[in-house]
Amino acid sequence: MKKLLVIETDGISEIKKECELLGWHPIFVKTHNYTDWLPLENLNEEFDIRSVGNLSYFEIIKIALEENVSGILPISLLEPEGVRDSLVKDYIVNHKIPVNIVANSPATMESTFDKWLMKFILSHFNIPVTPGKPINNLEDIHDIVKEYSFPIIIKERKSYTGMGVRIINGKEELVRYVTKNIKKGLFAEPFLSGSEISMEVIAWNNEVFFQPLVYKGETRLNIIEHPAYRPRISPYKSGSAIESKIITIVSEAVKHLQLKGAAEFEFLIINGEPIIMEINPRISGVTRLCNAAGGADVYKELTHICINNATRKDLVTKEHKYAIQFPLNILPEGDLLEKLQQNPHISYIKPITWMPILPIRSSIIMSYNSIDELFQGIKSLENFTDPRYITEALKSFDYF
């Protein structure tokens, strides 16, 4: 039986089912970065899981060769691991090792991980991106203040999951912050008002499959309330002119960046026009929400691609539903967890351990056949969340 080496354990149940269907054996390698994923996965069956601490690209290659695997599927949620996985791919390609791997090249990872470089490349091909300026020295501050009005957003060029982002309200504050953090590699953006939207895609062999759009709320100056920690809905404006425009933009970006596998495109909609803010070249926080709304199961599709070196003729999608990802101020345990897991409308419960500032401990994904049913589902959670999230979720219904 052929073996598939899966890096990390998110989507473990779906990946195993697809492997069994295709007659392969999955080996899961779990690092310390994803310690909170496994407890709420469906682990009522046996899995071949190898736990490690840190995992370098050389160690992945070593495991792959020792186990004589025929495929490698990285399921990493952080860009540094994506860079590592690209080096694995580079090694396999350069040494002509007969192993399929679903990963981006080192050049693609560099041009998406570096947020300012991504803007520069896409702008060259006339693909719309939010404006931004690199900060290489203190002299660059003069041009930034001259062109952008405060407040200004300062980001680290290589950051992820909302880290390394700062709202700056005046020139003196900007000078202090840049002086202290210049070595981190910074760039500046103007604050823009608009709707934050995501589109996830699966790209392989010049084919691109588009998932339902996700609405993540309106831009706000409270940078702590990252879109990952507020209500998100899908599908957003299915079949609309906005969706058509986004598909066109994403298709061009995928081609020029040569993206492979799953990727999330983050857009800002201003006056009806979509503009790319960031690209996450990996599975993301919207992956399961898109599936709940009727999109493809990305974990199964990536497994199929890795094993067959091709997408399915017809990707397997679910019935169209109204779906929401919703923050809770508790981590469900015991009887409550069991009750939620038995609810047919709840497809996933995810612990959130990295946001101590906000009273959020988990998020839940629910989907229903009608907006009225979804409304009742949200109301049933009012004892387990902040009232403002209930209010914000109900306001977002206008964007279905």
Side-chain angles (χ1 to χ4, degrees), residues 102-268:
V102 179
N104 287 298
S105 68
T108 296
M109 283 306 305
E110 179 65 21
S111 58
T112 50
F113 190 8
D114 186 324
K115 299 183 185 336
W116 182 82
L117 180 59
M118 178 273 294
K119 292 175 186 287
F120 179 82
I121 292 172
L122 294 186
S123 295
H124 175 75
F125 294 106
N126 297 314
I127 295 173
V129 298
T130 51
K133 286 182 173 293
I135 305 175
N136 299 311
N137 50 57
L138 290 175
E139 285 71 31
D140 289 333
I141 292 176
H142 175 74
D143 292 335
I144 291 169
V145 172
K146 185 177 180 181
E147 186 166 343
Y148 300 156
S149 299
F150 289 100
I152 290 173
I153 303 173
I154 302 296
K155 297 181 179 180
E156 293 178 22
R157 290 175 58 164
K158 292 186 175 182
S159 58
Y160 47 93
T161 63
M163 296 187 293
V165 180
R166 178 74 175 261
I167 296 288
I168 303 293
N169 292 296
K171 185 174 180 179
E172 290 185 3
E173 182 185 1
L174 179 59
V175 171
R176 289 196 303 270
Y177 187 80
V178 170
T179 301
K180 184 178 180 180
N181 296 281
I182 188 69
K183 292 183 179 180
K184 294 181 179 180
L186 305 174
F187 74 102
E189 294 180 336
F191 175 79
L192 301 173
S193 296
S195 301
E196 296 188 51
I197 307 297
S198 278
M199 170 172 273
E200 185 176 54
V201 300
I202 304 171
W204 195 255
N205 290 344
N206 299 317
E207 294 182 296
V208 184
F209 178 81
F210 305 95
Q211 293 278 65
L213 288 174
V214 174
Y215 172 72
K216 303 188 293 186
E218 302 299 294
T219 53
R220 59 194 70 186
L221 287 172
N222 184 357
I223 209 70
I224 294 174
E225 292 198 14
H226 186 275
Y229 318 118
R230 18 171 152 132
R232 297 183 283 185
I233 63 165
S234 185
Y236 168 84
K237 297 190 181 302
S238 180
S240 67
I242 286 289
E243 183 180 55
S244 179
K245 289 178 181 180
I246 288 176
I247 287 173
T248 299
I249 293 170
V250 168
S251 298
E252 285 297 301
V254 167
K255 178 177 68 176
H256 291 300
L257 294 173
Q258 300 181 15
L259 286 161
K260 304 290 184 184
E264 178 197 13
F265 284 75
E266 297 184 348
F267 282 86
L268 188 61

Side-chain angles (χ1 to χ4, degrees), residues 58 194 368 395:
F58 176 77
Y368 292 85
K395 286 182 179 178

Side-chain angles (χ1 to χ4, degrees), residues 244-315:
S244 179
K245 289 178 181 180
I246 288 176
I247 287 173
T248 299
I249 293 170
V250 168
S251 298
E252 285 297 301
V254 167
K255 178 177 68 176
H256 291 300
L257 294 173
Q258 300 181 15
L259 286 161
K260 304 290 184 184
E264 178 197 13
F265 284 75
E266 297 184 348
F267 282 86
L268 188 61
I269 310 296
I270 302 177
N271 297 324
E273 296 300 325
I275 310 170
I276 293 177
M277 292 194 295
E278 296 183 8
I279 300 174
N280 300 313
R282 50 174 170 78
I283 61 169
S284 68
V286 304
T287 295
R288 292 181 182 271
L289 178 59
C290 293
N291 180 227
D297 186 318
V298 171
Y299 304 100
K300 288 185 178 181
E301 298 304 333
L302 292 180
T303 304
H304 184 93
I305 288 171
C306 194
I307 290 175
N308 295 284
N309 195 28
T311 56
R312 297 182 206 269
K313 185 176 180 181
D314 296 302
L315 268 67

